[in-house]
Amino acid sequence: MEQTSKRVYTLYRVSTLGQVEKDDIPMQKQCCRDFAQQNGWTIVKEFAEKGVSGYKKSAKERDAIQQLRQAAMDHEFDILLVFMFDRLGRKDDETPFVVKWFAEQGIEVWSVMEGQQRFDNHVDDLMNYIRYWQASGESLKTSIRTKTRLGQLTEEGHYTGGTVPFGYRAVDKGRRNKKNKPVFDLEVNEEEATIVRLIFQKYVFEGYGSYRLCHWLDEQNITHANGKGFPNTSIQRIIQNVAYTGVVKNGESRSEIIPELQIIEPEVYERAQQIRAERLRPHSAVPLNSKGSALLVGFIYCGHCGNRLTLTTSGGRKHCGDGTRGPA
């Protein structure tokens, strides 16, 4: 009687898009195909996860793992094959149990580099856990090394990624990473920097709040490069952003003041923070502009939270028949 070939499902995974560029998945795929052929198995289906961290993402969040689990319950395959076991995950409090779950469904779990993970006795359980405990530790050490290096680069005054603050642009100044790819640095965008200086001028020296600044900028037709106005939240983020003093910041790491990146003097920035803090306090002594259509705006306080009464509007505008814009 002819023996039926074992059905194999494979899983390939890379943590970063950079690994995709290095052709890591084709390498895993070729090794798994060669291994299956050597053992007389038939690969029925292949799963590939690109840019998926086995340390940060749980099995419940990974579509490939969930599809494999369902296929295992439906008895669609006999062997789950990976290049190395850490392709299944690197979470020491989860991945060992995911592997054991497949084994309990009658699925053989194999790695090209490490062989089969069996569960015949307590030693097998221990070895299964130790493997992912080590993998988790390696991921943690990698994370710490990366965070430390990014912190060092930030302290040296280098931009290390993320959203570029309004008032700056990211440019290629010739720096290269270890893969010889360009790494961007910040420089002042003078057109936007002028708007930032206006915002701090109005806020610190003329008593404007963020809501009134929104309306004033709109009245002056001052907008982002995309033509959109400045909502209140954007004004608040600008007021609170220490980057405008010439400091490069990422998380807890920050550089010394870099003169060529300075848009606002540190003293002006600190005064803005003091004003902001004072305005949040009940019965603050900080002067404020109380112009508005609502009676007693800025002079009466909420009995529950202690904050001043303010008037909030949608800020919308409607187009009139003569082409001008008026209140909505």
Side-chain angles (χ1 to χ4, degrees):
M1 183 177 180
E2 185 179 349
Q3 186 176 1
T4 304
S5 175
K6 291 187 176 181
R7 303 164 299 168
V8 178
Y9 273 22
T10 61
L11 173 65
Y12 317 120
R13 180 182 66 80
V14 290
S15 301
T16 65
L17 294 179
Q19 288 174 300
V20 176
E21 293 173 0
K22 290 192 299 183
D23 291 336
D24 270 22
I25 281 185
M27 178 275 293
Q28 295 176 42
K29 184 179 294 186
Q30 188 59 52
C31 289
C32 286
R33 288 178 175 179
D34 291 344
F35 190 77
Q37 185 178 22
Q38 291 166 13
N39 286 276
W41 302 336
T42 301
I43 294 180
V44 178
K45 195 168 185 178
E46 297 173 302
F47 294 85
E49 295 180 303
K50 300 179 180 180
V52 175
S53 170
Y55 178 68
K56 296 178 181 178
K57 271 203 168 186
S58 72
K60 293 179 181 178
E61 300 174 301
R62 295 168 57 189
D63 292 341
I65 294 292
Q66 295 308 307
Q67 291 173 38
L68 283 165
R69 288 173 65 98
Q70 184 60 53
M73 290 188 288
D74 293 340
H75 308 291
E76 295 178 4
F77 64 104
D78 308 301
I79 295 173
L80 174 56
L81 177 62
V82 292
F83 174 65
M84 292 185 69
F85 282 123
D86 65 2
R87 300 304 84 194
L88 290 167
R90 286 175 170 262
K91 297 173 69 68
D92 59 1
D93 60 347
E94 176 188 71
T95 314
F97 306 105
V98 172
V99 175
K100 189 170 184 178
W101 181 89
F102 279 107
E104 289 172 344
Q105 309 309 307
I107 304 297
E108 296 179 22
V109 185
W110 284 79
S111 155
V112 171
M113 303 303 294
E114 299 142 310
Q116 182 181 7
Q117 176 59 61
R118 304 182 65 90
F119 293 93
D120 296 333
N121 50 53
H122 290 305
V123 175
D124 291 336
D125 282 311
L126 178 61
M127 293 304 297
N128 180 47
Y129 176 77
I130 289 175
R131 175 179 290 116
Y132 293 103
W133 172 74
Q134 289 176 326
S136 178
E138 288 301 317
S139 292
L140 182 59
K141 284 189 286 186
T142 299
S143 176
I144 291 172
R145 286 195 299 269
T146 301
K147 184 177 180 180
T148 300
R149 183 54 185 151
L150 288 175
Q152 292 171 342
L153 288 170
T154 299
E155 291 168 4
E156 292 169 7
H158 296 302
Y159 169 64
T160 55
T163 302
V164 176
F166 182 80
Y168 298 94
R169 62 169 67 92
V171 295
D172 181 1
K173 293 186 176 182
R175 273 201 308 137
R176 295 292 182 270
N177 61 19
K178 61 183 180 181
K179 300 176 184 176
N180 199 35
K181 292 188 176 181
V183 178
F184 295 97
D185 285 292
L186 295 179
E187 72 174 18
V188 173
N189 179 330
E190 276 302 330
E191 184 176 346
E192 294 181 352
T194 300
I195 299 173
V196 172
R197 294 186 188 102
L198 272 174
I199 289 172
F200 274 90
Q201 169 68 29
K202 295 289 182 182
Y203 190 85
V204 173
F205 300 107
E206 300 182 32
Y208 279 54
S210 56
Y211 284 106
R212 191 176 177 211
L213 268 166
C214 289
H215 291 294
W216 184 82
L217 291 170
D218 185 61
E219 290 166 358
Q220 304 301 313
N221 292 317
I222 296 175
T223 64
H224 285 281
N226 59 11
K228 293 183 178 180
F230 291 83
N232 173 58
T233 51
S234 292
I235 300 292
Q236 291 179 359
R237 279 197 295 270
I238 289 173
I239 293 296
Q240 297 175 60
N241 196 342
V242 71
Y244 298 117
T245 65
V247 171
V248 178
K249 186 175 182 295
N250 186 346
E252 298 300 318
S253 302
R254 61 171 63 195
S255 71
E256 298 294 327
I257 291 176
I258 303 171
E260 57 267 30
L261 292 180
Q262 188 176 100
I263 296 175
I264 300 297
E265 294 78 8
E267 297 78 14
V268 174
Y269 172 78
E270 290 301 328
R271 182 55 186 150
Q273 306 321 299
Q274 293 170 7
I275 291 172
R276 181 176 173 275
E278 284 293 326
R279 281 178 171 167
L280 294 175
R281 296 175 187 171
H283 308 289
S284 168
V286 173
L288 76 159
N289 190 302
S290 57
K291 292 180 180 179
S293 58
L295 184 65
L296 300 179
V297 165
F299 294 104
I300 62 175
Y301 299 83
C302 172
H304 176 68
C305 68
N307 288 323
R308 288 188 179 90
L309 171 69
T310 61
L311 176 65
T312 304
T313 64
S314 66
R317 293 288 187 272
K318 67 180 181 181
H319 292 273
C320 301
D322 58 1
T324 60
R325 292 191 300 170

